[in-house]
Amino acid sequence: MAEESTTKLLEYVQYAAFLVLIWFIALYSYRFTLHPLSKYPGPKLALVSDWYTVFYTLQKRLHLVTFRDHQRYGPVIRHGPNKLVFSSYKALHDIYQSERTNKVNSYLATQIRSDLYSVFNCLDKRLHKIKRRMISKALSEQKMRQFEPLMREHIDMFLKQLLRASRNNEPVDMSDRCKRLGVDIIGRFAFGYRLELQTSNSTQTITHTIYYLHTYHPPAYSNKNDFFVPGLIGASYMKNVRMQWLGVRWFVVELLFPSLYALRLKYFYLLKKMVKDRLAEGKTANEDLFSYVMDAKDPETGTKMRLGELVSEATFFFPAGGDTTATTISAVFFYLSRNPACYQKAISEIRRAFSSGVEIQSGPRLSGCLYLRAVIDEALRICPPTPGTLWRELPVGDQGREEPLVVDGHAIPAGTWVGVNAYTIHHNEEYFPDPFAFKPERWLDEGDTSEAIAARKNLREAFSPFSVGPRSCIGKAMAYMEASLTLALTMWYFDFSAPDDERLSKIGGGTPGDKKGRHRVNEFQTHDKFVSSHDGPYLMFKPRDDTQGDLE
Ligand code: HEM
C-alpha cells in the first residue's frame, strides 16, 4: 500500500516537473521570439531572464557589464526580458525628463516598511512632489550658506586627521577618510547630530553601526571579494540587487547572516532613536533638515509626517548624501595623484586664488576656480557615484493614451523598464573622446569653431551624474559645495602623493589582465551597490610649512 502511494507521489512529482519545464520552455521561447522587445539585441541570458542583471549586481559590476554589452550589441540593448538600456543623450532626456514616466516598482525594495515611503522610493507623484518640495527647502542655496560653518567644522577635522597622519608618516586611505567625512556631514545636516565618525573607533556606538552598514568595505583586498561582502548586506547592497528585480525579495539573504540581520535591526532602532531625540528637541533647536520636515503637513489632507516616515527619509540620506559625495572626492584624489600635470594646475590655481586657508569659503572666489570645478566634473564623469541604470517605465495605465513613449526614436510599450546607464553614457566616445583619460581640460574649452560648439553641447547634454528631470538629485548644490571646500582646503594646506610602497600605491586602480572589466590600471574602481564602494587611493600628505599653525 505504502509502496503504491510512493509510486503515485513520484508520478505526480514527475508530472509537475514536466509541466514546469514546458512552462519555462514556452515562456523563454516567447521572450526570445514573439515578445515586443525581441527585436532588440542583448546577451542571450538577459533576453529571457532577469537573473542576468541580478547576477552582475551581486558582483557589484553591472555598470562595467552594461558598458561592455553596449560595445557588443550597440546603442540600445535588452538587459532583461522587459528591460532596455540606451546610451544616447537623446534617450536620457526622453526618459528622465518626461512627466509621463515613473520610477519602476522595484524602488519599493528600499522601503523600510510597506506603508512608509521616502522622497526616493515614493512612486505616487502627488506625494513625491510634496516630499520633494519640503526637502528642497532645506537644500536651497541660502540654507547651504547657513550650513557652511557647520560643514566647515567637519572639514577642519578631516584636515586635522591628515595632519596627524603626516606627522606619523602614515599613508591615508582616502576612501575611508572621505566616507567618514561624508557621513559625519550628513548626520549634522539631517539631524544636527554629531556622529564623530572621523575620530571615533568605538565598536559600541551608533557611529560604529552606521559606519559598518554604510561605509564598510573590506580594506585593500576587496577586488577579490566581489560576492557577498557581509557588512553590506544590511545596507544598499542587497537593496540594489532587489532593485534589479523585485522577485529577488523572496530570497531573504539576510537570514543566512543572522548576526548581520541583527545589526541591521539595531541600525533601524538607532536611527529611530536619533529621530525621536531630534523631535524631542523641537523644531527650532537646529537649522537642520528635520526642522523643515518634522512639522510639515500634506496640503490636501493636513496630515503630518509619521515617525516611521521620518526614519524612512533618514535611512535614505546617509547613502544619498554621504556615500555619493565621498566617492567624488576620493575619485578626485585618485586621479590627481596619478596625473601630475592636472595636480600642479589644480594646486596652483587654489594657491593663487587665496592668501590664507581662512579665506577659503564658498562664493565668487571659490567658484572662480574653474580648474577645480573642471576637476570635480571630470571625476563625476569618469566615476559617477551612482553608476547604474536608474529604471523608469511608462506606467501600464497610460497605455490607452494616443502618444506612445518615444525614446530616441523607438516606440516603447508601456510597462517596459527603460534607462540610461550613467557609467556607459559617461564613457560614450561620441560625447567624451578618449573616455577613460582624466582630462579636466575638456570642460574648459571655449573655442568658437563649430566642432568646439558641438563638443560642448555633447558634454552638457550627456553629463548626468545627478540624473535629470523631476526625480534628479536635489542635493547637487550641497555636493559641489562639500567637494569644492574639501578639495580646495586640502590643496591649500597640503602637498600629496602616492606612497613609495608599491602595493599600497596600486590600491584603487585596476589589475592588468583582469577579465571582469577591472583591467584599467589607471581607472578608479568602484563597486556598484546603487551608490559605490571603493578602496584608496592611499596617499602621503605633507603640510606646507607656513600653514600648519592654522590646523593645530
Ligand atoms: C556627488 C554627489 C551626489 C550624486 C552623484 C547624487 C546623485 C543622485 C542621483 C543620480 C539621483 C537620482 C536617483 C534615482 O533616480 O534613483 C539622486 C537623487 C537624490 N539625491 Fe543625490 N546625489 C549626490 C549628493 C546628494 C546629496 C549631498 C544629497 C542631500 C543631502 C542628495 C539628495 C538626493 C535626494 C533627496 C534625491 C531624491 C530626489 C527625488 O527622488 O526627488 N544627493 N542623487
Side-chain angles (χ1 to χ4, degrees), residues 41-215:
K44 295 272 179 298
L45 179 61
L47 305 184
V48 293
S49 169
D50 280 304
W51 282 104
Y52 182 80
T53 46
V54 168
F55 177 74
Y56 288 114
T57 313
L58 278 168
Q59 293 200 338
K60 292 183 261 136
R61 62 184 184 103
L62 184 58
H63 59 309
L64 303 173
V65 170
T66 309
F67 175 76
R68 182 201 68 191
D69 290 344
H70 272 295
Q71 290 200 313
R72 281 187 188 161
Y73 300 102
V76 188
I77 55 172
R78 193 169 169 204
H79 238 202
N82 198 34
K83 292 174 179 161
L84 291 179
V85 194
F86 294 76
S87 64
S88 68
Y89 71 62
K90 178 84 177 61
L92 179 79
H93 296 283
D94 287 346
I95 294 171
Y96 296 96
Q97 281 180 330
S98 164
E99 284 296 334
R100 298 175 61 208
T101 56
N102 202 357
K103 287 187 169 179
V104 298
N105 70 353
S106 72
Y107 272 84
L108 299 178
T110 65
Q111 281 180 291
I112 58 168
R113 218 176 62 198
S114 60
D115 62 332
L116 297 173
Y117 301 92
S118 71
V119 64
F120 173 71
N121 60 32
C122 177
L123 302 186
D124 179 290
K125 290 192 177 182
R126 191 192 74 86
L127 186 60
H128 169 256
K129 263 199 188 116
I130 295 170
K131 283 179 180 288
R132 188 170 166 104
R133 205 176 306 131
M134 202 159 49
I135 290 170
S136 300
K137 281 188 192 151
L139 285 159
S140 69
E141 273 190 33
Q142 189 204 352
K143 292 298 159 200
M144 281 298 102
R145 270 198 299 281
Q146 284 174 11
F147 179 64
E148 183 170 346
L150 302 187
M151 182 186 275
R152 181 65 195 259
E153 275 179 33
H154 296 283
I155 299 174
D156 285 347
M157 182 50 69
F158 175 84
L159 300 171
K160 283 197 169 88
Q161 296 301 319
L162 299 184
L163 183 64
R164 191 188 53 76
S166 73
R167 290 191 172 147
N168 296 337
N169 205 23
E170 281 169 5
V172 182
D173 175 358
M174 296 313 289
S175 284
D176 180 59
R177 276 285 127 225
C178 295
K179 290 257 167 173
R180 287 171 186 265
L181 170 69
V183 178
D184 264 1
I185 289 177
I186 285 298
R188 193 74 180 275
F189 168 75
F191 313 99
Y193 202 99
R194 289 169 189 272
L195 287 164
E196 313 286 17
L197 265 179
Q198 298 196 79
T199 44
S200 165
N201 278 321
S202 162
T203 55
Q204 299 304 319
T205 56
I206 180 169
T207 301
H208 176 71
T209 312
I210 288 182
Y211 177 72
Y212 193 60
L213 285 181
H214 273 288
T215 71

Side-chain angles (χ1 to χ4, degrees), residues 516-530:
K516 294 180 174 176
R518 301 195 181 278
H519 53 284
R520 294 181 191 88
V521 178
N522 288 322
E523 180 181 19
F524 188 46
Q525 298 299 319
T526 53
H527 300 260
D528 175 15
K529 51 185 183 79
F530 196 85

